[in-house]
Amino acid sequence: MMQNVHLAPETDEDDLYSGYNDYNPIYDIEELENDAAFQQAVRTSHGRRPPITAKISSTAVTRPIATGYGSKTSLASSIGRPMTGAIQDGVTRPMTAVRAAGFTKAALRGSAFDPLSQSRGPAPPLEAKKKDSPEEKIKQLEKEVNELVEESCIASSCGDLKLALEKAKDAGRKERVLVRQREQVTTPENINLDLTYSVLFNLASQYSVNEMYAEALNTYQVIVKNKMFSNAGILKMNMGNIYLKQRNYSKAIKFYRMALDQVPSVNKQMRIKIMQNIGVTFIQAGQYSDAINSYEHIMSMAPNLKAGYNLTICYFAVGDREKMKKAFQKLITVPLEIDEDKYISPSDDPHTNLVTEAIKNDHLRQMERERCVEVVKASQYVELANDLEINKAVTYLRQKDYNQAVEILKVLEKKDSRVKSAAATNLSALYYMGKDFAQASSYADIAVNSDRYNPAALTNKGNTVFANGDYEKAAEFYKEALRNDSSCTEALYNIGLTYEKLNRLDEALDCFLKLHSILRNSAEVLYQIANIYELMENPSQAIEWLMQVVSVIPTDPQVLSKLGELYDREGDKSQAFQYYYESYRYFPCNIEVIEWLGAYYIDTQFWEKAIQYFERASLIQPTQVKWQLMVASCFRRSGNYQKALDTYKDTHRKFPENVECLRFLVRLCTDLGLKDAQEYARKLKRLEKMKEIREQRIKSGRDGSGGSRGKREGSASGDASYVDPLGPQIERPKTAAKKRIDEDDFADEELGDDLLPE
């Protein structure tokens, strides 16, 4: 029995690390140089023959190849890799993807080529879903519930409240059946909460409109107490509305406040609506002080007509007349939310502007205007038709369509005295802004004669007189306007300017301080107060008021440069530099600011920084040679002599008759040892000689004219009929007042802005 048992020798024991040095001898490349077939394939096209397939087996040539271990193995192809499907070491090499799509072994046996398996015939039909399956029943029931909810809403909007309630109840019943069926088939997480919420909310709403308040409250409670409904707390506002209808004011306010706590602060409009409901509840409960607090908060956050009106009524109820007046003033400042400027383009978009221009005066717009005016004229409020025409003219002014505005106002000028005065006032303002002071004065006279108590007409008349330089008479018109209407801020502002022109600085300061108490944050008023303090040689007060102007308009370059100028006068160079630099940053074209900054860097010996300001000045004023000379001087002082020389040469080419440029060229070329120094010296000598000759001619001409003038004076004394031609002419003096106007363009422009239409 043991004869069939063969013991393995000890040398054949399995070695755990055996085989790691073994590899397929096919991949041995050390003996390729001695392989004649391989070398022949490399030298000829023998190796580029098409691959040998399994169909023609006779082409497979086997040959031994020597390996590094001295063994021989067969090479199955002419390119040195085993043939596809060849058996090697007892393992069949897998087939590779060299066959065409649809090629199978069956093709060799004569089967038809059918890569898409079309011979199988059409696919079997899909199995029809069973209508009585649970999923189909649930979908059908869900569809019926949605239809019932829609029918209930439609019936309610049509006024059939009873039918709407019945549909809502049916939807509720079917929805409960749907929930039970869905719980049996799927998990509770798959229940359609949106559908449940819609059904309950619609049912509660229908209960409420049918005045079944108890049932409505119960249904709302079901929704609110269900934590699975997100944002359901807002429905407490509806519950508050129901309690308000039941005159249960305490509970109504309680639920309103609970709803207010549920609304996030970003939903500002909803919070305002809830607060309005709270105010209405307090009014109906007779708690006017609490209602006032609610409406005051609304008017401070988002003013509207209803809140302003109710606030006025509350103050009337508590008997507070002063606060009632203030509430009414707030009410009349609330926009009417009427789209009166819909034909004014809100942006610079070319497409939007084209559309606006197309519809501005189309047939629909014309019909709209005609019907509006005709309806008003045919009503008992016929006087409003003229006001509508005035508003139409003002709208044209906003659209910058001055011709249309003038045409309408000239038609209204022929109406009764009140309308005539208003139209003439606007026409006077239009012509004044167009610098046609004669027409402006004429229409101002018409406006004043039509209504002597019109402050706007008197103000415009004063402006026309002011433009002619008659400041005393202009002040009289402004005073009369203030006597007719003490709140006419335009007249008060202009009379302050008039007193400033008359050098009555104390009276001008009183006017502007009084105006400042009315218009607290008016930048124009603050600037005028600072300007008067500057004229009164009180720079500290001027700086203080200008700082207030900066707090209102921090980017005004003129105010910033004025602050820099005042600090420079006070000797505070660092503060002056700060404000001059800020002014330059916002408006880098003010030549005075650029000159000061360049001079500041020269004083501090920062030549490179000064260059950029003088270069900008030369771009702004290219015909002024001094800026280019300053640039060259900065290069020279900074030690960049070559750059300075190039700048001087460029300046000489542009201004060949400038003596200073030639002097610097001669000096610089001499210092650098250049040959051009002699040529520039000759040019300089010739220019100086021409300048001397020109000055002598001018001097001799003056002496000759002086002698002839003496002869004319002597003959005039002897002949009374001779009239000196220079006698009647009056030379306009360039006084300090003219200089002050040029430096104070801010005030001069505001005089035109004050010509406001009535």
Side-chain angles (χ1 to χ4, degrees):
M1 185 174 180
M2 295 294 294
Q3 61 183 356
N4 295 325
V5 178
H6 300 280
L7 297 176
E10 294 181 0
T11 58
D12 293 334
E13 290 181 359
D14 294 337
D15 187 2
L16 295 176
Y17 300 96
S18 64
Y20 281 94
N21 294 325
D22 298 336
Y23 66 100
N24 196 328
I26 296 175
Y27 303 110
D28 188 7
I29 62 173
E30 295 180 358
E31 296 295 328
L32 290 178
E33 295 180 358
N34 301 324
D35 188 355
F38 179 80
Q39 295 298 328
Q40 182 183 1
V42 171
R43 288 193 298 269
T44 66
S45 62
H46 182 72
R48 294 193 291 273
R49 293 180 181 178
I52 302 172
T53 62
K55 186 175 180 181
I56 308 174
S57 59
S58 62
T59 59
V61 179
T62 61
R63 52 185 170 78
I65 183 170
T67 65
Y69 296 95
S71 60
K72 301 291 184 177
T73 184
S74 60
L75 187 63
S77 70
S78 62
I79 58 175
R81 72 172 180 84
M83 186 184 67
T84 301
I87 299 175
Q88 190 175 12
D89 297 334
V91 180
T92 304
R93 185 177 183 275
M95 301 294 290
T96 57
V98 297
R99 60 186 180 182
F103 180 80
T104 60
K105 291 183 179 180
L108 299 176
R109 297 193 292 269
S111 61
F113 179 75
D114 188 13
L116 300 179
S117 301
Q118 298 178 0
S119 60
R120 296 182 181 179
L126 299 175
E127 296 182 0
K129 293 185 177 180
K130 298 179 181 180
K131 294 183 178 180
D132 55 349
S133 63
E135 291 81 3
E136 288 298 320
K137 289 182 179 180
I138 290 174
K139 289 183 179 180
Q140 186 63 28
L141 193 57
E142 185 174 334
K143 182 179 179 181
E144 293 177 2
V145 172
N146 279 318
E147 290 176 353
L148 286 171
V149 172
E150 291 179 2
E151 291 173 1
S152 174
C153 295
I154 293 172
S156 178
S157 63
C158 295
D160 194 348
L161 303 181
K162 186 176 180 180
L163 178 61
L165 181 59
E166 291 298 328
K167 294 289 185 181
K169 289 181 179 180
D170 291 342
R173 286 192 291 268
K174 289 194 175 184
E175 194 274 334
R176 287 191 291 272
V177 174
L178 174 62
V179 171
R180 286 195 295 269
Q181 291 186 6
R182 194 181 289 276
E183 288 177 349
Q184 294 174 2
V185 176
T186 60
T187 58
E189 289 79 6
N190 294 328
I191 297 176
N192 192 345
L193 293 177
D194 294 335
L195 181 61
T196 304
Y197 182 87
S198 301
V199 171
L200 292 175
F201 179 69
N202 180 59
L203 181 59
S205 301
Q206 301 308 326
Y207 277 136
S208 179
V209 296
N210 282 276
E211 298 183 358
M212 300 172 66
Y213 298 130
E215 291 82 355
L217 289 172
N218 292 333
T219 309
Y220 279 128
Q221 285 288 356
V222 172
I223 301 175
V224 171
K225 290 183 178 180
N226 194 337
K227 301 299 182 182
M228 300 180 69
F229 296 137
S230 59
N231 300 325
I234 192 64
L235 295 180
K236 291 180 180 178
M237 184 177 69
N238 292 10
M239 300 175 69
N241 292 338
I242 294 174
Y243 282 120
L244 180 61
K245 293 177 182 178
Q246 293 179 338
R247 298 182 182 275
N248 192 344
Y249 302 124
S250 59
K251 280 196 172 182
I253 293 172
K254 174 184 176 181
F255 277 91
Y256 283 143
R257 287 176 173 170
M258 292 170 66
L260 189 63
D261 294 336
Q262 296 287 332
V263 178
S265 58
V266 294
N267 197 346
K268 185 177 178 181
Q269 195 66 25
M270 181 59 70
R271 293 180 64 88
I272 293 298
K273 290 181 178 179
I274 295 175
M275 294 189 68
Q276 285 181 341
N277 287 4
I278 293 174
V280 171
T281 308
F282 277 130
I283 290 176
Q284 294 190 6
Q287 301 177 18
Y288 297 111
S289 58
D290 295 328
I292 287 172
N293 294 332
S294 298
Y295 287 124
E296 284 284 1
H297 182 73
I298 294 172
M299 293 299 290
S300 63
M301 297 296 294
N304 58 78
L305 295 175
K306 291 182 179 180
Y309 179 78
N310 290 341
L311 180 61
T312 306
I313 296 299
C314 289
Y315 279 127
F316 174 78
V318 298
D320 194 338
R321 295 186 176 181
E322 292 299 325
K323 290 186 177 180
M324 182 178 66
K325 292 179 181 178
K326 293 181 180 179
F328 185 75
Q329 290 176 351
K330 292 181 181 179
L331 174 62
I332 61 178
T333 58
V334 175
L336 295 177
E337 299 179 358
I338 298 175
D339 192 12
E340 59 180 8
D341 295 337
K342 61 184 177 181
Y343 297 104
I344 300 176
S345 180
S347 64
D348 296 332
D349 184 14
H351 179 70
T352 305
N353 294 337
L354 288 175
V355 173
T356 305
E357 289 294 330
I359 66 174
K360 183 187 296 184
N361 200 30
D362 59 358
H363 295 293
L364 182 61
R365 173 61 173 158
Q366 294 174 3
M367 183 180 67
E368 180 184 4
R369 288 197 301 261
E370 292 174 0
R371 285 190 176 183
C372 179
V373 176
E374 289 175 0
V375 168
V376 175
K377 287 181 178 179
S379 67
Q380 57 180 338
Y381 306 103
V382 64
E383 295 182 357
L384 294 178
N386 296 325
D387 294 337
L388 287 175
E389 293 292 338
I390 293 288
N391 290 335
K392 184 166 67 173
V394 173
T395 303
Y396 278 127
L397 290 177
R398 292 176 183 172
Q399 297 175 356
K400 297 182 179 180
D401 192 349
Y402 301 112
N403 294 329
Q404 290 285 345
V406 169
E407 289 180 6
I408 295 174
L409 292 173
K410 285 185 176 179
V411 172
L412 294 175
E413 182 193 353
K414 302 174 183 178
K415 300 285 184 177
D416 57 0
S417 60
R418 186 183 66 85
V419 178
K420 184 177 183 179
S421 177
T425 300
N426 287 282
L427 285 170
S428 175
L430 279 173
Y431 283 116
Y432 187 92
M433 288 185 289
K435 306 298 182 182
D436 190 350
F437 300 124
Q439 288 284 356
S441 179
S442 174
Y443 281 106
D445 291 334
I446 294 173
V448 171
N449 295 331
S450 301
D451 186 3
R452 188 70 185 184
Y453 298 98
N454 185 353
L458 292 168
T459 302
N460 283 358
K461 180 59 180 177
N463 290 338
T464 58
V465 177
F466 185 96
N468 293 326
D470 193 350
Y471 303 125
E472 292 287 354
K473 191 174 181 180
E476 294 299 325
F477 281 108
Y478 295 142
K479 289 178 182 178
E480 187 175 355
L482 287 173
R483 284 194 295 268
N484 293 335
D485 184 5
S486 60
S487 63
C488 184
T489 55
E490 294 83 2
L492 186 58
Y493 184 91
N494 289 352
I495 197 173
L497 291 179
T498 305
Y499 286 144
E500 183 181 339
K501 296 293 184 182
L502 294 171
N503 203 24
R504 294 155 62 175
L505 301 180
D506 292 332
E507 296 178 60
L509 183 61
D510 291 339
C511 292
F512 287 120
L513 289 175
K514 186 184 298 183
L515 191 58
H516 174 62
S517 63
I518 301 172
L519 306 174
R520 301 295 299 179
N521 294 321
S522 174
E524 295 85 356
V525 177
L526 294 171
Y527 185 88
Q528 291 302 328
I529 295 174
N531 184 49
I532 291 175
Y533 275 120
E534 181 186 1
L535 296 176
M536 296 173 70
E537 298 181 357
N538 191 344
S540 60
Q541 283 292 327
I543 291 174
E544 181 179 346
W545 285 95
L546 284 175
M547 292 298 292
Q548 296 187 39
V549 179
V550 172
S551 66
V552 177
I553 43 174
T555 60
D556 191 303
Q558 183 179 354
V559 177
L560 293 170
S561 64
K562 177 62 71 174
L563 273 170
E565 179 185 347
L566 291 175
Y567 276 116
D568 188 24
R569 292 179 189 174
E570 293 294 302
D572 193 345
K573 294 289 185 180
S574 61
Q575 286 289 341
F577 170 76
Q578 176 184 350
Y579 287 106
Y580 271 124
Y581 182 77
E582 287 295 314
S583 176
Y584 172 79
R585 192 163 64 90
Y586 289 116
F587 184 65
C589 297
N590 190 334
I591 199 68
E592 295 179 357
V593 174
I594 293 173
E595 184 177 8
W596 190 95
L597 289 171
Y600 173 81
Y601 280 119
I602 288 177
D603 292 340
T604 54
Q605 297 184 359
F606 288 101
W607 318 110
E608 293 81 1
K609 291 186 177 181
I611 289 172
Q612 61 178 343
Y613 293 102
F614 292 128
E615 286 179 344
R616 178 171 287 275
S618 65
L619 292 176
I620 298 172
Q621 295 180 344
T623 59
Q624 295 290 331
V625 67
K626 66 176 182 179
W627 305 122
Q628 300 185 31
L629 292 177
M630 291 300 297
V631 172
S633 176
C634 290
F635 279 125
R636 181 171 54 83
R637 294 184 183 185
S638 63
N640 194 345
Y641 298 110
Q642 184 60 43
K643 194 71 175 177
L645 181 62
D646 294 340
T647 306
Y648 279 127
K649 288 181 178 179
D650 184 63
T651 305
H652 177 63
R653 283 193 295 271
K654 294 179 180 178
F655 305 94
E657 296 183 358
N658 186 267
V659 177
E660 293 294 329
C661 181
L662 280 172
R663 286 175 182 172
F664 283 115
L665 276 173
V666 171
R667 184 185 306 174
L668 195 58
C669 290
T670 303
D671 294 341
L672 296 176
L674 300 177
K675 297 180 180 180
D676 297 337
Q678 297 178 359
E679 180 182 355
Y680 289 127
R682 286 195 299 271
K683 290 182 179 181
L684 176 61
K685 187 175 182 180
R686 185 170 62 252
L687 278 177
E688 289 178 345
K689 187 174 182 180
M690 291 174 61
K691 184 179 180 181
E692 183 178 355
I693 294 173
R694 189 182 302 115
E695 290 177 353
Q696 289 179 357
R697 289 178 179 176
I698 294 173
K699 184 177 180 181
S700 61
R702 288 177 180 175
D703 294 341
S705 62
S708 61
R709 186 183 304 114
K711 292 180 180 180
R712 286 197 301 269
E713 290 176 355
S715 60
S717 59
D719 187 2
S721 63
Y722 179 80
V723 179
D724 188 359
L726 299 178
Q729 296 185 3
I730 301 176
E731 183 182 0
R732 296 185 180 274
K734 298 180 180 180
T735 60
K738 174 63 178 176
K739 183 180 180 181
R740 191 176 75 242
I741 292 174
D742 293 339
E743 293 177 351
D744 191 13
D745 293 334
F746 196 93
D748 190 40
E749 292 174 358
E750 287 306 316
L751 181 64
D753 293 339
D754 289 330
L755 301 175
L756 301 178
E758 186 183 40

